[in-house]
Amino acid sequence: MAREYRMKSARSKPGSSQGISGIDYEAELNAQQYAVVRSKPGPALVIAGAGSGKTRTLTHRVAWLLDQGEDPGKILLLTFTNKAAREMIERVEQLIPSDVSALWSGTFHSIGNRILRRHAEDLGYTRSFSILDRDDQKAMMKQVIKELPLDTGGAASKRFPKVDVLISIFSLSENTCESIDDVVEYQFPQVARWIEEIKSVHRSYQARKKQNNSMDFDDLLVQTLKLLQQHDDLRSLYQRKFRHVLVDEYQDTNRVQCDLIDLLVGDRQCLMVVGDDAQSIYSWRGADMDNILSFHKKYPDAEVFKIETNYRSVPEVLELSNAAIRPNRVQYEKELRAVRDGGAMVPALVPLDDPSFQAEFVAERIEELIGEGLEPSDIAVLYRAHYQSMEIQMELTRRKVPFQITSGLRFFEQAHIKDVSALIRLVVNPRDEVSFKRVALMLPGVGDKTADNLWRAWSACELGQGISVPESFSPIMLTFRVPAKAKDSWQQLCYTLDELVVDGGFARPSDMLFSILEGVYDDYMRASFDNYEHRKQDIEQLMEYGEGFDDVLEFLAQLSLMSSVDGDPQKNQRKEDDESVMLSSIHQAKGLEWKVVFLVWLADGMFPNGRVLETGDEQMFEEERRLFYVAVTRAKDQLYLTYPMTNPKSYTGEYMMRPSRFLDAIPDEMTEEWKVSSW
């Protein structure tokens, strides 16, 4: 029989609303937040709606625990980004006058690293193990591939997965606890033919890391979980240490992170997780929404709290947001309520003739808003996929409206766009050494030295002199000496270049791009990029842009001008951040907010994504709707929902577009349709 003994201490009385901090919690928090902050120890699930003060609630919960006399070293606060961790600690420090440095706060990976630095020997590493960054991973994997007896030769050699693709496959497998076979089947079917070789590389890569006393980023989670699973004494040590575990953005946890949380909590079950299932949008990188939906199965005694008071948006935006997410069948139902008064306008629904007209409208309206006194940084243009921003980038550039892109790269600066452009530049200007070598280095088995040798052979022949437009490239190029691995790819390249010249002149830009994609670049993309489908869509969008040009020289000139603003490729990033309109994919916009949001390309096949509609997968479709919900809840004051009614596709001709089916859930009175026409 066990006896409980409670020590007398200087802790505040459990019912007290004030402690060492002097905070009047009831006065500083709304009723829902206050209920969370002062809840009794034990498992708790907090469903925090968009803009509801989630961070404020979490940090006040930590302050409350400290006010009750809890030791900071007994509290673990898990976040997803270093920025979020720093922000929370800074806020706690502002709330609590005493030293809180002993509090464990950080990302899952940083906490994993902290534990592993203490106990790595139990896994066969030393405490001074190295952490591999992306470049280190690539270098090690290249060496592994080089040393393995892999049969990657022959006609298909160019399609063997590049290390970036392999890293993505291995990472997804580790974080979801799914087999490499399943990950390849569902996420990377384009490399399925190499499945046995891929698994061989994975085994050797894992062994090489251990041999080198090194861990990659995923190991910081996987090895920590392994440590706690295999060593009962260490698991008990950390379960006793952390009396309170708090987790931010719980809807974004993957299988490994969720298992790690459960092991750290143990039987004490003093766990508070905060998240919003309606903002679960990262399944493609391993996040499992079932972690938050099935929380009660693991913790049947858990209290469930909802925080639904929104401090961000005007009521008109929130009413639309609530309506947008309501059709999802799998969710915790909630109703966001506005603190702010009504805005000056209801969300605008703006159908437009075509993508170019959509871009003109967005750019002109942005100019008007800036003219009315709004800062450019208060405005965002959001889209489902990066390629959907191309026309808007061009129109903003033409009007000299400053903008930045969350990825850091403008459309025309991306590697795959520069690759296909290099092939066109080489045909137009055979003396372009930079373009020639960029093309050569795409070939399997070709490095810098071989590229130099090929360039010397090229520049010495008639083709390389660029005296006239050749009728054919292949007769001369096929005589060049290339590595055995590159032979088939080089031959295909020669024949592709032949297609870029027609009747003593150059083919139209869109025809050139089609030949390049079908002839050589599609295979290269499949093997080189983990987001192959997105990059292919980018090139198809570039083909549509190329339809507007007959002269390839004019087309290339426009690409060059678009890849750098005002001829300055080294832009002042700080100034740009402060004075620029934001262009962002919705995934990268999560957690951010703007006074004005333009959500573009709201047409079926564009948003929701066409592949999702084709599969008919209800789970994927509901995630697309959650993505729409995330987008509209970014708007504070004004929201514009736009879509082109027609789309001029290359080779298939113009076709009509159906407004996004997400709009069907929004009552007519919640939007105002704008009928836009040109003068």
Side-chain angles (χ1 to χ4, degrees):
M1 179 179 295
R3 172 187 295 184
E4 282 198 16
Y5 177 81
R6 186 178 297 276
M7 291 181 61
K8 296 177 182 178
S9 68
R11 297 184 182 185
S12 304
K13 295 180 181 179
S16 173
S17 64
Q18 294 184 344
I20 58 173
S21 68
I23 299 171
D24 186 341
Y25 290 92
E26 193 167 9
E28 290 198 11
L29 303 167
N30 66 41
Q32 291 179 328
Q33 293 170 337
Y34 183 57
V36 172
V37 166
R38 68 184 303 275
S39 61
K40 67 180 186 293
L45 171 62
V46 182
I47 304 298
S52 63
K54 167 178 62 71
T55 301
R56 181 178 181 82
T57 304
L58 262 179
T59 52
H60 276 73
R61 172 63 174 179
V62 174
W64 171 272
L65 292 173
L66 296 174
D67 271 343
Q68 306 311 301
E70 188 58 85
D71 179 352
K74 300 292 185 180
I75 299 174
L76 172 62
L77 177 57
L78 289 165
T79 64
F80 270 83
T81 67
N82 290 314
K83 180 182 177 183
R86 286 194 303 269
E87 181 182 358
M88 288 194 184
I89 283 295
E90 288 170 359
R91 290 202 193 184
V92 170
E93 288 174 342
Q94 292 169 3
L95 293 171
I96 299 293
S98 60
D99 181 17
V100 297
S101 59
L103 190 151
W104 281 47
S105 175
T107 65
F108 284 87
H109 295 88
S110 68
I111 296 299
N113 176 59
R114 191 169 175 178
I115 292 173
L116 289 170
R117 290 296 177 190
R118 299 181 175 196
H119 311 288
E121 290 94 339
D122 292 284
L123 293 170
Y125 296 83
T126 73
R127 297 187 185 187
S128 59
F129 65 85
S130 300
I131 299 176
L132 305 174
D133 62 18
R134 185 81 172 193
D135 288 340
D136 298 330
Q137 279 184 280
K138 291 168 68 173
M140 181 179 287
M141 208 168 293
K142 285 179 180 178
Q143 188 63 31
V144 165
I145 293 170
K146 182 179 179 181
E147 295 174 4
L148 283 174
L150 300 178
D151 182 16
T152 60
S157 61
K158 59 189 174 182
R159 293 191 291 274
F160 185 72
K162 296 293 180 69
V163 291
D164 283 318
V165 177
L166 294 175
I167 288 172
S168 295
I169 292 171
F170 300 160
S171 179
L172 196 56
S173 174
E174 297 282 4
N175 284 288
T176 60
C177 299
E178 294 181 356
S179 69
I180 289 177
D181 295 85
D182 287 343
V183 169
V184 168
E185 179 181 356
Y186 294 113
Q187 300 280 0
F188 299 88
Q190 71 270 20
V191 299
R193 64 179 300 168
W194 300 104
I195 186 64
E196 294 306 320
E197 289 84 355
I198 290 171
K199 289 191 288 188
S200 177
V201 171
H202 183 249
R203 289 191 294 269
S204 297
Y205 172 61
Q206 295 292 84
R208 181 65 62 91
K209 285 188 294 181
K210 189 73 171 286
Q211 177 186 339
N212 288 5
N213 192 38
S214 300
M215 298 189 196
D216 59 30
F217 205 53
D218 295 320
D219 288 325
L220 298 180
L221 296 181
V222 174
Q223 296 294 347
T224 303
L225 180 61
K226 182 179 178 181
L227 181 79
L228 298 181
Q229 287 173 331
Q230 296 181 352
H231 297 274
D232 297 345
D233 56 334
L234 294 179
R235 183 170 66 250
S236 297
L237 171 69
Y238 283 100
Q239 288 175 352
R240 291 194 305 271
K241 175 174 179 54
F242 298 128
R243 284 207 287 255
H244 296 276
V245 177
L246 299 93
V247 184
D248 187 23
E249 302 286 9
Y250 188 68
Q251 80 281 347
D252 292 335
T253 54
N254 59 38
R255 171 72 180 276
V256 174
Q257 290 164 331
C258 189
D259 288 349
L260 186 57
I261 291 166
D262 294 339
L263 283 182
L264 288 171
V265 171
D267 294 335
R268 187 185 298 271
Q269 296 194 352
C270 286
L271 170 65
M272 176 175 285
V273 300
V274 182
D276 182 5
D277 57 292
Q279 297 187 69
S280 179
I281 58 174
Y282 296 117
S283 66
W284 50 275
R285 68 183 191 195
D288 187 354
M289 191 177 75
D290 191 56
N291 292 340
I292 194 169
L293 293 176
S294 63
F295 188 78
H296 253 105
K297 293 180 181 178
K298 287 187 295 184
Y299 302 96
D301 297 328
E303 286 191 87
V304 178
F305 301 91
K306 293 182 182 179
I307 308 178
E308 299 166 295
T309 303
N310 178 284
Y311 294 88
R312 175 187 297 156
S313 305
V314 294
E316 293 84 354
V317 170
L318 289 187
E319 289 170 5
L320 184 148
S321 303
N322 289 328
I325 196 64
R326 197 168 288 129
N328 269 16
R329 291 186 294 177
V330 182
Q331 63 170 313
Y332 287 101
E333 293 185 4
K334 70 182 76 65
E335 194 81 9
L336 295 179
R337 297 183 296 272
V339 169
R340 298 180 57 193
D341 295 331
M345 60 173 282
V346 298
L349 180 62
V350 192
L352 296 144
D353 289 344
D354 55 37
S356 295
F357 200 43
Q358 177 179 243
E360 290 178 32
F361 166 75
V362 170
E364 183 165 313
R365 185 68 188 129
I366 287 174
E367 285 184 319
E368 291 173 351
L369 291 166
I370 294 172
E372 293 169 6
L374 212 60
E375 294 294 330
S377 57
D378 288 329
I379 305 170
V381 181
L382 306 183
Y383 36 82
R384 173 65 179 82
H386 191 53
Y387 73 89
Q388 295 169 353
S389 70
M390 189 187 73
E391 291 94 351
I392 294 169
Q393 288 187 49
M394 291 189 294
E395 189 63 27
L396 291 175
T397 300
R398 188 178 70 81
R399 294 171 182 254
K400 293 184 168 55
V401 176
F403 67 92
Q404 61 169 311
I405 298 175
T406 50
S407 66
L409 288 176
R410 295 169 185 261
F411 182 87
F412 298 102
E413 294 172 336
Q414 299 174 100
H416 52 298
I417 300 299
K418 293 176 75 69
D419 286 345
V420 295
S421 301
L423 279 155
I424 299 176
R425 292 180 195 279
L426 179 61
V427 172
V428 172
N429 176 20
R431 288 183 284 184
D432 185 339
E433 181 178 359
V434 172
S435 292
F436 180 91
K437 289 184 176 178
R438 186 180 187 103
V439 171
L441 289 169
M442 294 182 209
L443 303 173
V446 173
D448 292 337
K449 185 176 180 180
T450 303
D452 287 339
N453 292 337
L454 287 171
W455 169 250
R456 281 192 289 271
W458 171 272
S459 56
C461 72
E462 182 181 344
L463 285 175
Q465 301 302 314
I467 299 170
S468 60
V469 179
E471 292 183 5
S472 179
F473 288 83
S474 53
I476 297 177
M477 290 180 65
L478 289 175
T479 65
F480 291 5
R481 295 182 61 183
V482 297
K485 279 187 176 182
K487 184 176 179 181
D488 294 321
S489 299
W490 178 257
Q491 185 180 62
Q492 186 59 47
L493 172 64
C494 296
Y495 295 144
T496 298
L497 293 177
D498 286 346
E499 294 181 19
L500 307 190
V501 292
V502 178
D503 299 330
F506 303 118
R508 297 183 70 248
S510 57
D511 294 333
M512 284 185 163
L513 288 165
F514 180 81
S515 294
I516 291 167
L517 180 62
E518 295 296 312
V520 291
Y521 202 69
D522 189 74
D523 283 332
Y524 178 80
M525 280 196 300
R526 287 176 182 273
S528 301
F529 304 116
D530 55 4
N531 56 348
Y532 157 75
E533 288 290 346
H534 289 164
R535 293 183 189 251
K536 184 177 181 181
Q537 288 174 331
D538 282 351
I539 294 176
E540 290 172 346
Q541 192 74 8
L542 185 63
M543 288 166 56
E544 292 177 30
Y545 175 59
E547 285 287 341
F549 297 85
D550 290 319
D551 185 350
V552 69
L553 297 178
E554 183 184 351
F555 174 73
L556 290 174
Q558 285 299 313
L559 294 193
S560 296
L561 292 172
M562 291 299 300
S563 66
S564 61
V565 179
D566 295 331
D568 177 18
Q570 303 297 326
K571 298 172 284 297
N572 185 317
Q573 188 65 44
R574 179 174 298 176
K575 181 179 180 182
E576 188 178 72
D577 289 348
D578 294 340
E579 302 176 7
S580 301
V581 174
M582 176 65 79
L583 271 60
S584 175
S585 70
I586 303 166
H587 284 102
Q588 291 173 307
K590 184 173 175 288
L592 304 176
E593 59 185 41
W594 294 270
K595 290 183 178 179
V596 179
V597 167
F598 292 84
L599 180 54
V600 299
W601 280 99
L602 272 173
D604 270 2
M606 297 295 176
F607 193 18
N609 181 277
R611 292 190 304 278
V612 173
L613 296 180
E614 289 170 8
T615 63
D617 188 305
E618 186 65 23
Q619 288 185 342
M620 293 174 63
F621 183 74
E622 290 209 349
E623 180 160 337
E624 286 285 295
R625 185 180 279 117
R626 293 194 296 272
L627 193 61
F628 177 62
Y629 175 79
V630 168
V632 296
T633 54
R634 299 310 94 197
K636 297 165 71 174
D637 300 338
Q638 297 183 37
L639 176 63
Y640 297 84
L641 308 172
T642 77
Y643 64 91
M645 294 182 286
T646 61
N647 193 9
K649 294 287 285 186
S650 300
Y651 300 99
T652 58
E654 183 176 274
Y655 69 94
M656 300 296 294
M657 301 195 75
R658 180 192 185 279
S660 171
R661 60 194 65 192
F662 295 147
L663 298 173
D664 297 343
I666 299 170
D668 292 342
E669 64 270 16
M670 289 187 182
T671 61
E672 179 182 31
E673 183 169 337
W674 288 28
K675 298 188 181 300
V676 180
S677 60
S678 56
W679 291 99

